Amino acid sequence: MVSIKKRMAKAGINSFFFLLLLTILLAYLFPEWGETSASGLNLDVLTYYGVSLIFFFYGVKISPATLKTGLSNWKLHLVIQSTTFLVFPLIILVLYAAFGNQQNLFWVGTFYLAALPSTVSSSVVMVSIAGGNLPAAIFNASISSIIGILITPLWMGLLLSSSQGDFELLSTVWKLVQQIFIPVLIGFMLHRWLGSWVQRYSKVLKGFDQTVILLIVFSAFSQSFGGNMFAGQNILGLGFLMLLLFLLMLAVMYGLGRWLGFNREDGITVLFCGSKKSLVQGAVMGKILFPDPIIFGVVLLPLMLYHTLQLILGSALAEKLAARAK
């Protein structure tokens, strides 16, 4: 039991997970705290620079040697990145065309989570627990975050330009380049000098990252609650749909791995890396893609629910696969 708790904590079901739930509860109870005039803090300014620092240190963490080594297994990487940025969004687009409503922000949020890159830490940990190809998981999680900076806004531009005529794709991409891509690039160039320092203070930097994410989530949800954006919405029904979506993506990834003839280790890597989505990038990129915080809180909810399910069910699946291997 203790071992399971430790592994679940490594996968993301830890103090930050519960702080995230507490943050949403506080946003519901005290929505006025999200307003600058009431709190005395300009959360938009704090999170703007916080996001840039997050991605600067993320760039520092990326090792050129790791990227170079990972290129050798290019077929596996191509499959994972294709499922992350093509298969996943196309599945939601088909469902959106059949059942979607342009006025329903939950559909927009669902497509947004489908267009996001894969998560880093939980994917790597779960692949490790299940006995998958760990180096491939590390490579794909890292490269996915970089690709997502460009691919995610292109997907959202396709959807939002058709439903919202005032969405400016080029302006949005340029903002993402300024706030995210350039800090990543600068950090990557400084890896040689700052890599060991970042590794030494990784726990402190992780705490900083989580604090910025909590501020973004609180700001978005408090203003959405304050604007009664969730009134009359079937959130339990949305949670059930996110459960079905996660199970569907697991089935697609498992079937794809079997169809392509991957061995057990590579199949596990496809299963976890291809079915997960990043809450971190979803929160930070969403502030730019959805500048209205009242709307952003609603758009972010499907990702929050999906994130919770991928942690809980993903951890249980990783444990089961590890037990079966033994």
Side-chain angles (χ1 to χ4, degrees):
M1 181 63 70
V2 176
S3 176
I4 293 176
K5 287 182 178 180
K6 287 183 178 179
R7 289 185 174 183
M8 290 179 67
K10 289 181 179 179
I13 306 177
N14 49 21
S15 57
F16 175 68
F17 175 76
F18 295 105
L19 282 173
L20 205 55
L21 299 180
L22 178 61
T23 298
I24 297 176
L25 177 61
L26 288 175
Y28 173 74
L29 295 175
F30 307 102
E32 67 277 4
W33 289 1
E35 300 178 5
T36 301
S37 57
S39 64
L41 293 174
N42 193 326
L43 295 181
D44 288 338
V45 173
L46 288 175
T47 53
Y48 178 89
Y49 291 105
V51 166
S52 296
L53 284 174
I54 285 177
F55 280 92
F56 169 75
F57 289 120
Y58 177 76
V60 175
K61 294 176 187 177
I62 300 176
S63 169
T66 301
L67 293 180
K68 184 177 180 180
T69 303
L71 290 174
S72 60
N73 200 355
W74 63 270
K75 291 183 179 179
L76 175 62
H77 306 325
L78 182 61
V79 169
I80 293 175
Q81 298 308 316
S82 297
T83 54
T84 299
F85 293 111
L86 291 177
V87 175
F88 207 137
L90 286 174
I91 288 175
I92 301 303
L93 267 185
V94 171
L95 295 175
Y96 181 82
F99 308 105
N101 180 351
Q102 289 185 352
Q103 303 304 318
N104 191 327
L105 291 175
F106 284 159
W107 270 107
V108 177
T110 302
F111 183 75
Y112 177 52
L113 82 86
L116 286 169
S118 177
T119 186
V120 178
S121 57
S122 63
S123 290
V124 171
V125 171
M126 290 179 191
V127 167
S128 176
I129 292 173
N133 188 334
L134 187 57
I138 295 173
F139 175 86
N140 276 283
S142 301
I143 202 69
S144 178
S145 296
I146 298 174
I147 295 174
I149 297 172
L150 299 175
I151 298 298
T152 300
L154 292 178
W155 270 121
M156 295 312 299
L158 176 66
L159 180 70
L160 297 179
S161 294
S162 61
S163 59
Q164 301 177 18
D166 59 345
F167 181 79
E168 299 180 1
L169 177 60
L170 292 179
S171 174
T172 302
V173 171
W174 175 237
K175 290 178 182 177
L176 288 169
V177 168
Q178 287 180 300
Q179 193 174 357
I180 297 177
F181 185 75
I182 291 177
V184 169
L185 182 61
I186 295 174
F188 179 72
M189 294 171 63
L190 296 176
H191 170 81
R192 178 180 177 183
W193 296 277
L194 297 179
S196 59
W197 183 88
V198 167
Q199 188 69 27
R200 190 180 313 124
Y201 293 99
S202 59
K203 290 185 178 180
V204 176
L205 293 175
K206 182 178 180 180
F208 171 76
D209 294 354
Q210 292 176 345
T211 300
V212 173
I213 300 304
L214 291 175
L215 288 174
I216 291 174
V217 170
F218 179 79
S219 175
F221 275 85
S222 62
Q223 297 193 52
S224 293
F225 282 126
N228 293 320
M229 292 295 289
F230 296 109
Q233 300 290 344
N234 187 357
I235 297 178
L236 288 178
L238 177 64
F240 179 71
L241 291 176
M242 291 302 102
L243 172 61
L244 292 180
L245 177 60
F246 182 62
L247 295 176
L248 171 64
M249 294 313 301
L250 285 177
V252 170
M253 296 305 108
Y254 176 77
L256 191 60
R258 294 291 297 271
W259 179 58
L260 293 173
F262 285 131
N263 58 33
R264 180 183 182 277
E265 290 75 16
D266 288 350
I268 287 174
T269 305
V270 171
L271 181 66
F272 285 106
C273 291
S275 62
K276 292 184 176 300
K277 292 296 178 176
S278 173
L279 175 62
V280 174
Q281 288 221 348
V284 299
M285 293 175 69
K287 277 186 63 63
I288 300 174
L289 291 169
F290 306 96
D292 186 342
I294 297 178
I295 293 177
F296 179 40
V298 182
V299 171
L300 193 60
L301 186 59
L303 176 60
M304 297 282 292
L305 295 172
Y306 191 90
H307 173 77
T308 302
L309 291 167
Q310 74 182 13
L311 289 179
I312 297 173
L313 299 181
S315 297
L317 179 59
E319 291 287 347
K320 184 175 182 179
L321 291 173
R324 180 181 297 178
K326 293 180 182 178

